Amino acid sequence: QVQLVESGGGLVQPGGSLRLSCAASGFTFSMYAMRWYRQAPGKERELVAGIANFGGSTSYADSVKGRFTISRDNAQNTVYLQMNSLKPEDTAVYYCNAVRQVNYWGQGTQVTVSS
């Protein structure tokens, strides 16, 4: 049974930091590229960051470059998203995505940036 379980979301003040985690099971994690997406109320889901299957390359949306860092631990079957200098516009539900021939999705974790 494939599972992607996100954690680490919450309420944070502007300028603060959060670290999201996504624990994977039920598939060969190291073979999959991993991505973080987010969806704010009334907006389409957008790609935030991606990392290649063996962690060799990363990519970021322009809106988060220099503030967010994606990483993975293939031994722990986990992908992370370190989010620094958070802004109110980062408020969204954040989803973990595993990509190869098929896509797997987590259930999402809420991130709210507000004073």
Side-chain angles (χ1 to χ4, degrees):
Q1 179 184 0
V2 171
Q3 280 195 310
L4 291 172
V5 180
E6 300 99 333
S7 61
L11 173 64
V12 63
Q13 292 188 341
S17 297
L18 283 175
R19 189 194 196 201
L20 305 183
S21 299
C22 172
S25 60
F27 63 100
T28 307
F29 177 77
S30 61
M31 298 298 290
Y32 283 69
M34 298 299 297
R35 297 171 179 169
W36 286 97
Y37 284 78
R38 67 185 180 187
Q39 188 166 21
K43 294 189 176 181
E44 293 188 356
R45 191 171 295 191
E46 65 169 338
L47 177 62
V48 175
I51 187 166
N53 50 3
F54 290 100
S57 64
T58 58
S59 60
Y60 298 92
D62 287 344
S63 58
V64 307
K65 275 182 185 175
R67 300 188 298 122
F68 290 11
T69 302
I70 188 170
S71 62
R72 66 189 296 161
D73 183 342
N74 285 344
Q76 297 294 325
N77 289 353
T78 302
V79 62
Y80 304 97
L81 187 67
Q82 178 67 44
M83 306 187 294
N84 298 329
S85 303
L86 283 161
K87 305 175 181 179
E89 52 262 44
D90 295 317
T91 295
V93 177
Y94 283 71
Y95 296 91
C96 175
N97 169 243
V99 181
R100 201 179 177 200
Q101 285 90 346
V102 295
N103 273 272
Y104 301 128
W105 291 91
Q107 82 290 347
T109 185
Q110 176 71 47
V111 171
T112 303
V113 185
S114 175
S115 55

